[in-house]
Amino acid sequence: MSMFCFQCQEAAKGEGCTIKGVCGKTDDVANLQDLLVFVTKGLSIYAHEARQMGIEWEPVNRFVFDALFMTITNANFDKKKIEEKIREGLKLRAELKNRFEAEGGKLSSNHESLTWEADTLEAFEEKAANVGILSTANPDVRSLRELIVYGVKGMAAYAEHAFNLGYEKKELYAFMQKALAATTDDTLSADDLVALTMETGKYGVDVMALLDQANTESYGNPEITEVNLGVQKNPGILVSGHDLKDFEELLKQTEGTGVDIYTHSEMLPANYYPAFKKYEHFVGNYGNAWWKQKEEFEAFNGPVLLTTNCLVPPADSYKDRVYTTGAAGFDGVKHIAPRKNGESKDFSEIIEHAKKCAAPTELETGTIVGGFAHNQVMQLADKVVDAVKTGAIKKFFVMAGCDGRMKSRDYYTEFADKLPEGTVILTAGCAKYRYNKLPLGDIGGIPRVLDAGQCNDSYSLAVIALKLKEVFELNDINELPIAYNIAWYEQKAVIVLLALLYLGVKNIHLGPTLPAFLSPNVANVLVENFGIAGIKTVDEDIEVFMG
Ligand code: SF4
Ligand code: SF3
């Protein structure tokens, strides 16, 4: 075993990647990411204790969410960048320690992440091999600690997008650091950690609400939109990931250049925002979910910008056309530098690159419809409520989450296809690509697939559910005719799941496989308290759900 990682749905053999990640992460990068999390935990202990004394330091808040984001699945494969981030973390820890001690602070923890130091990559690598997931011996404590860390990683990603738009909530940073510190505390019982897991869900709701506010106040409320799937004659830039600020700046900088902008995978919902519709050179969506990018980036012919995960290690044939920015990175791939002093990022290099490229090769034609975030659905509320009252809509299926390359995910296409009449799918995240191009029709003008947006827009689905609960005057969200069949892949899906549990949603089915990081006992807690279940065959599951 040269590494150990089990944070995503593709963990090898459903247990963990031990030699190389199924995602393509090499063992040295995986281990350095473990060390980065370890250093971030040490810094978080200081930050958490300093906060009790009234010391809050902005650079630490930013470091914590950025460092965690870099360790999310398919975000950053660049060893050099991870190494630099570890150095930055150690430097910040030393500075915070000085401030803390100058104020007379005394630590209540003596965790080694507070004192470990090194200067060379060799020393980093030596330490990295011993601070990973398996350094917690008890499988249940390990499972709960990792569940919390992955939830916090998901929060970190959403907090960073909100921050980029100028939206912050200090309580979120305080919680993230408190939670990371708690995962180093051997005095906490399994019950304490279960309670902290639920608290993570609470802050999951808060961070998604904050990002919703940031996105909608910046760019307007998503509205019903027909998105073009074909291509135009100009060369283009394909934008993937989740960061709308990057997207806006690129749109502005490409105006009048003869370069068209297309979205890929999780950037598709950018098409639904009013503020982006005024750009004529923003021409539609190209391709599907992240895991199809090898063929699709190849066919696109022009440069591709990854603003976040999910990045698949690029083939040499198009690697020189890939650009990363923000928390994303890959060894040998050009990285667009962060904003400085409130100025925009400089996208001139990728724009000049695009001008020299051929127009994209057409993959498909036609359109898809999306934009059913909470504000838009509320405008249709009367229609929706009527359809439920008359029995035209019998059940909603929340099928939010992620897509992935496992063959078993064909289940979700078949499930959507076989759902009986009178059912409507509510979706968000890249999971939608398994069924958003099927001809599923509509119910009295309401499409049978309502796409709210990115994975973080699962918040919209929760808002819609809570609104329906109010309209139908129910006491419990679980009395609604809504079933949850969620596909997960990476750690943002973990925070979405914990947020739904916090909101009291029960009987969520999770697939295509249950997380490898749930020990049998922790899985039991989720089954007993929340009715969490896996998936079986499509026919069996539809029967259970409709029953
Ligand atoms: Fe394996 Fe997933 Fe970890 Fe990659 S992120 S190494 S695929 S468990
Ligand atoms: Fe997809 Fe990575 Fe999760 Fe934001 S892009 S949902 S997998």
Side-chain angles (χ1 to χ4, degrees):
M1 187 188 292
S2 57
M3 62 176 276
F4 186 80
C5 179
F6 62 0
Q7 68 175 352
C8 86
Q9 189 271 325
E10 283 187 337
K13 299 189 194 130
E15 291 170 6
C17 299
T18 55
I19 299 161
K20 188 185 176 185
V22 175
C23 58
K25 187 162 73 174
T26 52
D27 54 0
D28 51 347
V29 171
N31 292 334
L32 278 187
Q33 288 189 352
D34 287 346
L35 185 65
L36 178 56
V37 171
F38 173 81
V39 168
T40 306
K41 286 182 177 181
L43 183 60
S44 293
I45 302 172
Y46 264 116
H48 174 60
E49 300 213 4
R51 191 172 283 107
Q52 320 307 312
M53 298 166 58
I55 305 169
E56 170 126 11
W57 198 29
E58 290 312 317
V60 172
N61 294 339
R62 283 203 291 282
F63 176 87
V64 171
F65 64 61
D66 199 39
L68 291 179
F69 200 170
M70 288 173 78
T71 69
I72 280 186
T73 302
N74 290 341
N76 204 309
F77 300 80
D78 189 340
K79 186 172 174 182
K80 191 96 204 115
K81 281 269 166 5
I82 311 286
E83 183 193 340
E84 280 166 15
K85 204 73 185 169
I86 292 168
R87 289 186 198 284
E88 189 189 330
L90 290 174
K91 193 161 163 267
L92 277 175
R93 194 190 66 191
E95 289 167 4
L96 185 57
K97 176 174 186 275
N98 287 342
R99 286 184 174 215
F100 182 72
E101 287 174 355
E103 297 284 330
K106 291 236 169 348
L107 283 174
S108 59
S109 164
N110 62 358
H111 193 257
E112 60 165 339
S113 62
L114 291 161
T115 48
W116 172 78
E117 293 192 79
D119 203 27
T120 63
L121 178 61
E122 292 68 42
F124 284 5
E125 292 191 317
E126 199 187 318
K127 186 68 183 168
N130 300 309
V131 296
I133 294 157
L134 299 177
S135 61
T136 300
N138 179 309
D140 298 327
V141 174
R142 182 197 303 153
S143 176
L144 288 164
R145 284 180 175 176
E146 294 306 315
L147 178 57
I148 292 162
V149 169
Y150 303 153
V152 173
K153 284 189 184 191
M155 278 176 66
Y158 296 154
E160 179 152 336
H161 295 305
F163 174 84
N164 291 343
L165 290 169
Y167 288 74
E168 290 188 279
K169 201 168 168 189
K170 296 289 161 60
E171 299 91 313
L172 289 169
Y173 304 148
F175 176 76
M176 287 164 69
Q177 293 154 20
K178 178 184 96 165
L180 288 176
T183 64
T184 66
D185 184 348
D186 292 331
T187 68
L188 296 181
S189 67
D191 284 348
D192 295 331
L193 292 172
V194 170
L196 187 60
T197 307
M198 289 304 109
E199 203 185 346
T200 309
K202 176 198 175 306
Y203 286 96
V205 176
D206 290 355
V207 76
M208 284 192 277
L210 180 71
L211 182 52
D212 179 77
Q213 185 195 0
N215 287 339
T216 56
E217 287 183 0
S218 304
Y219 305 121
N221 276 298
E223 51 194 26
I224 303 178
T225 306
E226 215 171 304
V227 181
N228 237 313
L229 301 176
V231 299
Q232 307 290 320
K233 295 206 164 53
N234 291 329
I237 298 175
L238 186 57
V239 191
S240 195
H242 305 68
D243 197 275
L244 296 185
K245 181 75 181 169
D246 287 336
F247 191 73
E248 180 197 20
E249 289 181 352
L250 181 65
L251 273 180
K252 282 188 179 155
Q253 292 176 35
T254 42
E255 228 181 344
T257 60
V259 172
D260 286 339
I261 300 296
Y262 295 80
T263 54
H264 189 263
S265 191
E266 273 287 72
M267 199 50 89
L268 160 65
N271 287 276
Y272 313 152
Y273 285 89
F276 301 145
K277 290 186 178 175
K278 64 174 189 250
Y279 295 96
E280 279 176 15
H281 67 296
F282 176 21
V283 293
N285 189 68
Y286 186 84
N288 296 279
W290 64 272
W291 61 277
K292 292 208 173 150
Q293 67 188 245
K294 277 205 162 151
E295 305 88 83
E296 295 175 354
F297 289 3
E298 188 79 63
F300 186 74
N301 301 328
V304 184
L305 175 67
L306 263 297
T307 64
T308 69
N309 64 326
C310 280
L311 172 64
V312 174
D316 287 343
S317 54
Y318 65 84
K319 189 174 178 184
D320 68 317
R321 288 194 273 115
V322 177
Y323 291 73
T324 58
T325 192
F330 195 90
D331 187 30
V333 158
K334 288 175 269 308
H335 188 80
I336 291 166
R339 296 177 184 89
K340 279 190 216 87
N341 314 321
E343 285 173 17
S344 296
K345 286 185 182 176
D346 178 3
F347 289 107
S348 54
E349 191 183 348
I350 187 170
I351 297 168
E352 287 312 308
H353 190 159
K355 288 180 185 166
K356 295 188 207 107
C357 295
T361 306
E362 193 152 78
L363 297 176
E364 59 194 328
T365 54
T367 57
I368 47 173
V369 176
F372 296 91
H374 57 86
N375 182 277
Q376 177 66 81
V377 175
M378 290 318 157
Q379 287 176 24
L380 301 172
D382 290 349
K383 220 173 164 179
V384 173
V385 170
D386 271 356
V388 175
K389 283 187 175 157
T390 60
I393 295 180
K394 292 186 185 62
K395 200 150 212 167
F396 295 95
F397 282 83
V398 171
M399 291 178 71
C402 310
D403 197 7
R405 59 202 132 195
M406 258 187 194
K407 182 82 184 105
S408 55
R409 287 183 189 259
D410 289 348
Y411 164 95
Y412 294 101
T413 309
E414 194 190 331
F415 187 89
D417 199 36
K418 282 192 171 167
L419 273 176
E421 275 178 30
T423 52
V424 170
I425 296 171
L426 303 174
T427 193
C430 64
K432 64 170 93 37
Y433 286 98
R434 287 281 166 176
Y435 43 79
N436 66 348
K437 293 172 185 171
L438 297 177
L440 296 178
D442 64 277
I443 299 175
I446 303 165
R448 289 194 57 230
V449 178
L450 300 180
D451 176 24
Q454 297 177 332
C455 48
N456 41 287
D457 296 309
S458 299
Y459 170 74
S460 259
L461 304 181
V463 171
I464 293 165
L466 291 170
K467 184 73 194 169
L468 288 175
K469 177 184 152 213
E470 198 185 301
V471 173
F472 291 111
E473 297 177 356
L474 302 172
N475 298 320
D476 186 339
I477 201 168
N478 297 296
E479 291 168 21
L480 284 165
I482 305 182
Y484 294 79
N485 195 5
I486 289 182
W488 82 287
Y489 175 64
E490 34 78 314
Q491 298 79 56
K492 293 183 220 179
V494 175
I495 194 63
V496 170
L497 176 72
L498 295 180
L500 290 175
L501 297 185
Y502 171 75
L503 291 173
V505 175
K506 296 235 160 57
N507 304 321
I508 296 174
H509 288 237
L510 195 61
T513 54
L514 288 180
F517 55 80
L518 295 180
S519 68
N521 288 331
V522 172
N524 264 341
V525 170
L526 294 179
V527 171
E528 278 163 22
N529 296 327
F530 301 100
I532 293 255
I535 57 169
K536 293 183 179 154
T537 67
V538 168
D539 293 329
E540 281 173 284
D541 288 347
I542 288 185
E543 203 179 313
V544 167
F545 281 124
M546 292 309 288

